[in-house]
């Protein structure tokens, strides 16, 4: 089961639609054009287009599988008292006294540029179930860091 936000689910549906309706027909057309050029055994364009088709079909199957098992999380039923999926948290790194804000999301939605932290990341795993004011020690590649949870609110 894959739990996604409504936004994440819609994005996956859009990506799948684009792959199936726009990208795949382009690749099929490229294969047909390359095939028309003659001998396939030495036709680089044909083999490149076939490899691209394979990668594209793999992406399509992966997204179809994710969507097949996806469930959109109803944020009305989630608690904003503890850190969990789709909670937005504000943390203070006690080592350097910097504040940061993240939303805990499904790994398929994770994007650090958008401050979306995968629920499977070490930091999120350490924070799950914790409350405002709790201090959490997290083992990260740089060593052990301590974070204080300043604020928790439900995203969405």
């Amino acid at each position: 089961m894959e739990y996604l936000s409504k936004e994440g689910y819609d994005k996956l549906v859009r990506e799948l639609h684009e792959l199936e309706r726009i990208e795949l027909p382009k690749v099929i057309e490229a294969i047909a054009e390359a095939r028309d050029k003659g001998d396939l055994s030495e036709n680089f364009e044909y083999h490149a287009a076939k490899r691209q088709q394979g990668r594209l079909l793999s992406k399509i199957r992966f997204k179809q599988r994710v969507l097949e098992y996806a469930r959109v999380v109803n944020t009305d039923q989630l608690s904003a008292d503890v850190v969990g999926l789709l909670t937005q948290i504000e943390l203070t790194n006690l080592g350097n006294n910097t504040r940061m804000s993240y939303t805990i999301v499904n790994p398929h939605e994770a994007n650090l540029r958008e401050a979306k932290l995968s629920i499977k990341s070490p930091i999120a795993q350490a924070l799950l179930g914790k409350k405002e004011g709790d201090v959490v020690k997290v083992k990260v590649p740089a060593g052990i860091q301590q974070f204080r949870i300043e604020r928790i609110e439900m995203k969405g």
Side-chain angles (χ1 to χ4, degrees), residues 3-14 67 71-75 86 109 116 155-156:
Y3 294 99
L4 298 169
S5 67
K6 176 73 170 126
E7 170 190 346
Y9 181 86
D10 291 344
K11 182 180 176 189
L12 267 175
V13 168
R14 281 191 309 275
L67 288 171
R71 299 293 176 265
V72 175
V73 176
N74 181 352
T75 55
L86 300 182
E109 298 179 69
K116 293 180 177 181
K155 180 81 171 154

Side-chain angles (χ1 to χ4, degrees), residues 6-96:
K6 176 73 170 126
E7 170 190 346
Y9 181 86
D10 291 344
K11 182 180 176 189
L12 267 175
V13 168
R14 281 191 309 275
E15 289 171 357
L16 179 61
H17 184 267
E18 182 175 327
L19 290 173
E20 290 176 328
R21 303 280 193 276
I22 298 168
E23 299 300 320
L24 190 56
K26 285 181 188 176
V27 171
I28 291 170
E29 184 178 319
I31 291 170
E33 286 177 17
R35 187 181 298 128
D36 291 341
K37 292 184 179 178
D39 184 14
L40 297 182
S41 64
E42 295 181 15
N43 187 331
F44 173 77
E45 291 169 351
Y46 174 78
H47 293 290
K50 287 297 279 184
R51 279 193 299 278
Q52 186 178 0
Q53 180 186 35
R55 285 191 298 272
L56 195 56
L57 290 173
S58 179
K59 275 180 162 176
I60 288 170
R61 281 191 298 273
F62 176 76
K63 290 183 186 299
Q64 285 171 334
R65 223 172 297 121
V66 169
L67 288 171
E68 180 181 349
Y69 295 103
R71 299 293 176 265
V72 175
V73 176
N74 181 352
T75 55
D76 296 338
Q77 297 175 352
L78 298 177
S79 170
D81 296 337
V82 296
V83 177
L85 186 64
L86 300 182
T87 52
Q88 186 169 2
I89 54 171
E90 191 172 304
L91 304 169
T92 299
N93 181 332
L94 298 178
N96 58 16

Side-chain angles (χ1 to χ4, degrees), residues 92-136:
T92 299
N93 181 332
L94 298 178
N96 58 16
N97 211 29
T98 57
R99 286 184 98 129
M100 54 199 93
S101 182
Y102 294 108
T103 301
I104 307 294
V105 296
N106 178 289
H108 299 289
E109 298 179 69
N111 184 334
L112 283 180
R113 280 189 226 111
E114 297 175 7
K116 293 180 177 181
L117 192 63
S118 169
I119 195 165
K120 294 186 178 179
S121 70
I123 293 174
Q125 286 290 300
L127 294 170
L128 288 179
K130 303 294 191 246
K131 298 178 182 238
E132 286 183 8
D134 287 353
V135 174
V136 179

